[in-house]
Amino acid sequence: EAGVVQSPRYKIIEKKQPVAFWCNPISGHNTLYWYLQNLGQGPELLIRYENEEAVDDSQLPKDRFSAERLKGVDSTLKIQPAELGDSAVYLCASSSDSYEQYFGPGTRLTVT
Amino acid sequence: GESVGLHLPTLSVQEGDNSIINCAYSNSASDYFIWYKQESGKGPQFIIDIRSNMDKRQGQRVTVLLNKTVKHLSLQIAATQPGDSAVYFCAENTGNTDKLIFGTGTRLQVFP
């Protein structure tokens, strides 16, 4: 069974530029999560989807961050414009009806 | 607010010894706990979970202990191996949602 797929794995951009991350969850997993992970810290939830509906986006900075999961399968997370403080690893995870979440390898973003 | 914390940022053990990683949580309403292992450049990987109606659960070489009285969680790894070197996170879930709150992490270093 394929795991959670994320791309790109690494991204370097200049501040004020836009950036997008893509995630394909495990087949059949209805719930999809985007997390932000700073160095040495645990993941912090940005947004959670149940199928195509965002059911928890309270931690998503909506002035610059946006996300979509139009067909209830894969998802994109966008930052526009990026700031220096956005440098981090962006993790995607998915789950079925259980609490166990399966994580992808993450996208390491560096904003210069 | 809710918080999950770890007592030690780094734990160094000799190969073959047992490891104990500790975690404190503050929300007495949390009813589900997970330990994740994260290797460099990878996403968190599920190790073992435990529900609040249990105080101990065993897996392969790993045991999780839950003490609800003092709100403490521990992960025991038997016969620690070099492949166990990673950062370990505890995470808690409160209520009926599948939102996880992660702690900061403990780095386990295994020496030959």
Side-chain angles (χ1 to χ4, degrees), chain A residues 7-65:
Chain A
S7 68
R9 290 296 315 278
Y10 305 91
K11 189 72 176 180
I12 301 174
I13 61 171
E14 294 182 347
K15 62 181 180 182
K16 301 184 181 180
Q17 294 302 306
V19 64
F21 314 124
W22 176 80
C23 172
N24 187 257
I26 292 173
S27 178
H29 282 192
N30 297 327
T31 308
L32 183 146
Y33 314 78
W34 282 103
Y35 287 88
L36 178 151
Q37 185 176 29
N38 288 305
L39 185 64
Q41 303 294 314
E44 300 172 32
L45 181 68
L46 290 172
I47 190 168
R48 175 168 65 97
Y49 282 93
E50 293 288 348
N51 297 305
E52 66 275 8
E53 181 182 0
V55 297
D56 184 356
D57 63 355
S58 58
Q59 302 302 311
L60 190 72
K62 298 180 183 63
D63 57 336
R64 297 183 301 106
F65 287 64

Side-chain angles (χ1 to χ4, degrees), chain B residues 31-75:
Chain B
D31 58 4
Y32 179 65
F33 304 87
I34 305 178
W35 280 101
Y36 280 91
K37 171 186 180 183
Q38 188 172 25
E39 297 174 279
S40 180
K42 297 183 180 180
Q45 177 186 6
F46 173 91
I47 301 174
I48 191 168
D49 59 358
I50 189 169
R51 296 193 178 275
S52 58
N53 61 352
M54 304 172 65
D55 55 17
K56 180 180 180 178
R57 189 159 188 230
Q58 288 184 296
Q60 186 176 13
R61 286 201 304 117
V62 295
T63 300
V64 56
L65 299 178
L66 175 62
N67 186 329
K68 294 181 290 293
T69 302
V70 295
K71 291 183 283 189
H72 184 267
L73 192 69
S74 69
L75 176 70

